[in-house]
């Protein structure tokens, strides 16, 4: 579904991703683990199309179609969702208005009918309950005054609303307590299906107690240095990343 | 040989001044002392009116057709001032209109443009308001080609309440100058909305004063799209204890336009409160000027005054000039100001694009949010809606 081939990414002339190859078939959840500075966030930004993350070589395809030439919004419309490690606060922009505008922009780009205000309200209220965000929070400007945990809940709310074909979750677990981790697991597990893929980027194994990955990859210095099944995460938890640092 | 237009204009004005009444001739003399304001005057250093009034302006022409005002939706009582000539229908109960000259208030007496307007106004309007007027009053000023001078004195009796909209529109190359003086009696409440758009070639200077008696309240919201040059200037005086002033303004400019929002709030009585918020969003080569000053007299103890101004620079060539000022002689006061300037946050734009918005949509939403804070809490919900709509349309065109 998402296929990355020999990807090289430079930021400010500095090569961060150095020949990364990875394929996540539809229906699977893959985890990428790695130490700080291994290129996890760079990978997610490059795939999402952020400016100044220059792809110098390699390919990224979503369902066989290259997305590298596309604008970030076009990638979103194709069903790519990025859960940000540090979600933005957007003062003055009403939360529900923003999410609905974004959802309808995606639908419009795909040639689908836009969702009505009433249907949207119903959907977002139901999903907000699942991710643990109150009505009061939905009425605020987007993420303004939210705690780190609440911002992550807002990411999960959007993922649940957009129902992307492929989601990259960049350290969604950082700063979350056990209850919130369980919520993230619930949202991902409810969306898991034969036509959808996930790439879960994390430092720690603990999120993977709630989201059982089909494959685990170790990222070090911009390359995948080891891949294995779910048990690899447990192994890393014991042995640490040091063994890969020399690679 | 072509003569400098300014000289031509001043000569023409002086010639016309020969036919003025004695009272009006005094206004002209006061104007003539400084002439048209220019950049060597501190208060005009960023808005050099003399420089843009070089071009000669033909005499005023009546516009053939007047489209309904964008404020028609709130069902206002409309006073149409076309090229300086006022017309109105049946006024609501509690509103009295007349044409009358009067001396300028103390706040306006030293202002060259107030004197210019008072000297030459075709119709010097006097509007008296008593009781609570539910129907908004629209003073709709429309300028065609040429020079127009306008004047109005609005008096709110003690306890009176009114919503007054002042729109300043025009097309073509014009110079429209006005002075509007508000006098609020004890406990009176005025919601004032100002919307200005002079087009690319028009020059608009709108000067106003507001005197607040004990416990009087003004809530002012202004939206300026600028012009070849445009200045909305407000002087407020807290004359009575416990008065309250809220001043909110937004500048949104594109192209080579220039908009200036200038204010002076005098605190002369004890226990008065002022809240001021200004936002400028400037694109292309346009320029936004904000000058805000709080003056606190020795007698004005327990003054509580706060000013915030910020500018959003939307291109490398756009310019925002902000000058917040405090002049305080009382020792037991709470006064503060803050001013910031910056560009749109690229992180926020990328976030929004990742969610599916185009770059243009993301930027528009952020600009709308930035300016939108000015319209939060406009007393009349219908007016808030219209002002926000004007910003949205501006963004679509920009």
């Amino acid at each position: 579904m998402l296929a990355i081939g020999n990807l090289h990414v430079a930021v400010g002339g500095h090569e961060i991703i150095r020949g990364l190859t990875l394929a996540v078939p539809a229906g699977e959840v893959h985890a990428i683990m790695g130490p700080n500075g291994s290129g996890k966030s760079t990978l997610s930004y490059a795939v999402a199309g952020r400016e100044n993350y220059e792809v110098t070589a390699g390919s990224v395809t979503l369902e066989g179609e290259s997305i590298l030439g596309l604008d970030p919004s076009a990638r979103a419309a194709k069903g790519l969702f990025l859960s940000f490690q540090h979600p933005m606060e957007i003062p003055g922009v009403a939360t529900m208005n923003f999410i609905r505008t974004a959802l309808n922009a995606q639908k419009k780009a795909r040639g689908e009918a836009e969702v009505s205000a009433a249907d949207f309200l119903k959907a977002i209220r139901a999903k907000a309950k699942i991710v643990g965000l109150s009505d009061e929070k939905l009425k605020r400007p987007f993420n303004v005054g939210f705690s780190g945990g609440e911002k992550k809940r807002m990411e999960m709310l959007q993922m649940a609303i957009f129902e992307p074909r492929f989601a990259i979750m960049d350290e969604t677990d950082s700063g979350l307590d056990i209850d919130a981790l369980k919520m993230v697991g619930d949202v991902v597990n409810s969306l898991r299906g034969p036509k959808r893929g996930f790439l879960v980027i994390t430092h720690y194994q603990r999120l993977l107690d709630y989201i059982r990955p089909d494959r685990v990859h170790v990222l070090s210095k911009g390359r995948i240095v080891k891949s294995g099944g779910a048990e690899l995460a447990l192994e890393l938890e014991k042995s640490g990343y040091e063994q890969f640092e020399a690679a | 040989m072509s003569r400098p237009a300014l000289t031509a204009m001043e000569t023409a004005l002086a010639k016309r001044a020969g036919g003025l009444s004695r009272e009006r001739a005094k206004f002209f003399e006061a104007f003539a002392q400084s002439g048209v304001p220019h950049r060597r005057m501190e208060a005009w250093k960023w808005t050099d009116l003399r420089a843009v009034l070089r071009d000669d302006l033909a005499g005023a022409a009546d516009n053939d057709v007047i489209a309904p005002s964008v404020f028609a939706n709130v069902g206002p009582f409309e006073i149409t001032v076309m090229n300086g000539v006022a017309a109105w229908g049946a006024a609501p109960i509690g509103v009295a209109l007349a044409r009358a000259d009067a001396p300028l208030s103390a706040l306006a007496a030293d202002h060259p443009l107030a004197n210019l307007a008072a000297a030459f106004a075709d119709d010097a309007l006097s509007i008296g308001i008593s009781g609570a007027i539910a129907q908004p009053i629209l003073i709709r000023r429309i300028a065609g080609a040429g020079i127009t001078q306008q004047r109005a004195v609005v008096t709110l009796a003690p306890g009176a309440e009114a919503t007054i909209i002042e729109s300043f529109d025009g097309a073509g190359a014009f110079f429209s100058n006005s002075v509007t003086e508000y006098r609020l009696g004890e406990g009176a409440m005025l919601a004032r909305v100002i919307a200005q758009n002079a087009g690319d070639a028009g020059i608009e200077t709108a000067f106003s004063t507001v005197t607040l008696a004990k416990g009087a309240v003004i809530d002012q919201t202004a939206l300026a799209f600028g012009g070849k040059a445009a200045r909305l200037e407000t002087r407020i005086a807290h004359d009575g204890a416990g008065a309250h002033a809220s001043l909110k303004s937004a500048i949104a400019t594109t192209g080579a336009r220039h908009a200036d929002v200038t204010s002076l709030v005098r605190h002369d009585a004890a226990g008065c409160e002022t809240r001021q918020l200004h936002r400028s969003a400037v694109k292309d080569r346009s320029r936004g000027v904000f000058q805000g000053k709080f003056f606190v007299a020795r007698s004005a103890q327990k003054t509580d005054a706060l000013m915030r101004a910020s500018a959003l620079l939307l291109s490398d060539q756009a310019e925002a000039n902000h000058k917040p000022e405090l002049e305080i002689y009382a020792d037991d006061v709470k006064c503060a100001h803050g001013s910031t300037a910056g560009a749109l946050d690229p992180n926020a734009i990328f976030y929004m694009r990742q969610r599916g918005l185009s770059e243009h949509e993301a930027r528009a939403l952020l600009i709308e949010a930035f300016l939108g804070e000015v319209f939060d809490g406009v007393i009349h919900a219908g007016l808030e809606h219209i002002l926000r709509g004007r910003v949205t349309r501006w963004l679509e065109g920009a």
Side-chain angles (χ1 to χ4, degrees):
Chain A
M1 176 166 230
L2 183 79
I4 302 172
N6 189 32
L7 188 70
H8 290 254
V9 180
V11 182
H14 238 71
E15 188 166 62
I16 310 283
I17 300 294
R18 302 184 298 171
L20 185 146
T21 297
L22 174 72
V24 183
E28 292 194 3
V29 175
H30 286 205
I32 287 192
M33 302 181 73
N36 283 325
S38 57
K40 302 192 298 291
S41 287
T42 301
L43 174 65
S44 63
Y45 285 151
V47 173
R50 185 165 194 161
E51 276 164 26
N52 304 323
Y53 285 73
E54 195 190 348
V55 174
T56 52
S59 62
V60 178
T61 61
L62 186 60
E63 293 188 298
E65 233 179 295
S66 174
I67 58 169
L68 282 182
L70 299 180
D71 182 271
S73 58
R75 298 184 200 202
K78 289 217 172 289
L80 180 71
F81 179 84
L82 171 60
S83 171
F84 283 63
Q85 187 185 349
H86 302 292
M88 298 303 302
E89 289 188 16
I90 312 177
V93 174
T95 299
M96 291 211 262
N97 181 37
F98 169 61
I99 298 176
R100 182 166 163 243
T101 305
L103 177 64
N104 280 336
Q106 290 188 21
K107 285 184 174 291
K108 199 174 156 197
R110 290 194 290 262
E112 297 169 10
E114 295 190 2
V115 58
S116 73
D119 288 348
F120 176 76
L121 196 65
K122 225 164 109 184
I124 199 160
R125 286 224 169 111
K127 282 167 179 167
K129 210 168 264 174
I130 294 168
V131 303
L133 284 173
S134 64
D135 265 16
E136 189 269 326
K137 287 276 186 318
L138 293 183
K139 285 177 185 152
R140 285 208 209 162
F142 190 78
N143 276 345
V144 173
F146 281 29
S147 70
E150 286 166 342
K151 288 177 184 170
K152 295 298 174 69
R153 290 177 194 270
M154 188 58 83
E155 295 296 279
M156 290 302 95
L157 174 62
Q158 292 171 82
M159 189 166 85
I161 288 281
F162 295 148
E163 300 180 327
R165 289 151 95 176
F166 196 91
I168 301 174
M169 297 166 62
D170 188 2
E171 296 197 22
T172 302
D173 51 342
S174 66
L176 292 190
D177 58 25
I178 298 291
D179 288 344
L181 280 179
K182 186 176 174 303
M183 174 277 297
V184 172
D186 289 346
V187 173
V188 172
N189 292 328
S190 72
L191 288 171
R192 270 178 105 151
K195 289 181 172 173
R196 190 171 281 134
F198 291 87
L199 186 59
V200 180
I201 296 173
T202 179
H203 261 304
Y204 306 106
Q205 185 273 333
R206 54 178 197 161
L207 178 61
L208 305 180
D209 287 341
Y210 302 93
I211 307 169
R212 194 177 162 74
D214 297 293
R215 299 283 291 166
V216 174
H217 310 277
V218 180
L219 183 66
S220 177
K221 295 183 178 171
R223 286 191 197 96
I224 302 290
V225 291
K226 188 169 184 174
S227 298
E231 68 290 347
L232 178 56
L234 290 165
E235 204 178 293
L236 284 167
E237 192 80 350
K238 282 192 208 123
S239 56
Y241 294 114
E242 219 166 282
Q243 53 180 313
F244 304 109
E245 294 285 291
Chain B
M1 202 178 83
S2 67
R3 282 190 303 173
L6 184 66
T7 313
M9 180 186 297
E10 279 182 333
T11 309
L13 289 174
K15 197 179 276 177
R16 278 183 61 198
L20 292 176
S21 67
R22 235 173 66 189
E23 199 179 8
R24 285 189 169 212
K26 278 186 190 154
F27 294 135
F28 183 75
E29 279 163 32
F31 160 74
Q33 279 178 9
S34 59
V36 175
H38 50 81
R39 66 187 161 86
R40 288 189 303 282
M41 296 160 72
E42 177 60 23
W44 295 86
K45 63 179 176 182
W46 288 317
T47 299
D48 190 348
L49 203 56
R50 181 171 295 197
V52 290
L53 280 176
R54 270 194 309 253
D55 302 330
D56 198 9
L57 298 171
D62 281 348
N63 302 30
D64 298 336
V65 185
I66 312 172
S69 164
V70 293
F71 292 102
N73 280 348
V74 297
F77 163 59
E78 182 174 323
I79 302 164
T80 311
V81 185
M82 167 68 71
N83 290 322
V85 180
W88 59 86
I93 293 167
V95 178
L97 277 122
R99 291 179 174 87
D101 277 344
L104 284 167
S105 65
L107 280 175
D110 69 337
H111 199 287
L113 295 181
N115 280 290
L116 181 65
F120 291 114
D122 285 313
D123 283 334
L125 289 177
S126 164
I127 305 171
I129 294 167
S130 55
I133 312 298
Q135 187 181 16
I137 298 166
L138 169 62
I139 304 175
R140 188 179 177 203
R141 303 185 193 276
I142 306 165
I147 301 172
T148 67
Q149 310 284 353
Q150 302 136 69
R151 183 174 183 201
V153 176
V154 184
T155 307
L156 273 76
E161 287 174 31
T163 297
I164 299 184
I165 309 152
E166 290 173 61
S167 68
F168 296 89
D169 293 290
F174 64 87
F175 170 43
S176 165
N177 178 48
S178 61
V179 56
T180 307
E181 295 162 274
Y182 286 95
R183 295 164 189 171
L184 272 64
E186 234 178 87
M189 285 180 67
L190 171 65
R192 182 182 182 212
V193 168
I194 306 166
Q196 178 277 328
N197 188 353
D200 289 335
I203 297 167
E204 185 86 57
T205 49
F207 174 71
S208 61
T209 64
V210 183
T211 52
L212 301 171
K214 189 177 165 189
V217 176
I218 179 163
D219 183 332
Q220 175 170 313
T221 308
L223 171 59
F225 291 112
K228 184 174 181 183
R231 170 140 150 168
L232 302 178
E233 184 171 351
T234 309
R235 287 185 187 169
I236 294 181
H238 289 284
D239 282 351
H244 179 95
S246 164
L247 277 165
K248 296 189 287 184
S249 48
I251 283 176
T253 51
T254 49
R257 288 198 188 192
H258 179 111
D260 174 333
V261 169
T262 291
S263 62
L264 163 68
V265 182
R266 285 188 61 99
H267 302 82
D268 291 309
C272 295
E273 201 174 66
T274 301
R275 290 289 177 271
Q276 184 163 21
L277 172 71
H278 176 80
R279 294 272 159 96
S280 296
V282 288
K283 283 189 106 165
D284 307 326
R285 291 171 293 123
S286 68
R287 194 187 217 195
V289 174
F290 170 74
Q291 305 182 108
K293 182 173 178 177
F294 289 167
F295 175 91
V296 182
R298 196 183 297 273
S299 55
Q301 299 294 0
K302 305 280 181 197
T303 290
D304 180 351
L306 180 66
M307 182 195 304
R308 285 186 299 139
S310 39
L312 192 53
L313 299 162
L314 298 168
S315 88
D316 293 343
Q317 289 176 299
E319 205 175 308
N321 304 109
H322 282 195
K323 188 168 88 170
E325 254 186 300
L326 299 176
E327 190 177 332
I328 302 171
Y329 297 99
D331 49 19
D332 183 17
V333 300
K334 243 175 31 190
C335 287
H337 67 68
S339 179
T340 61
L344 289 173
D345 179 359
N347 295 318
I349 292 172
F350 173 67
Y351 185 90
M352 297 167 95
R353 292 172 78 191
Q354 205 300 308
R355 294 300 183 250
L357 299 183
S358 70
E359 186 171 5
H360 182 80
E361 288 166 331
R363 290 173 66 91
L365 208 53
L366 290 173
I367 298 165
E368 208 167 0
F370 173 80
L371 292 174
E373 201 187 326
V374 167
F375 311 116
D376 283 346
V378 170
I379 286 172
H380 193 297
L383 288 174
E384 178 180 338
H385 186 74
I386 291 168
L387 291 169
R388 286 183 190 278
R390 292 199 72 178
V391 169
T392 304
R393 275 202 302 284
W394 174 75
L395 284 164
E396 283 162 0

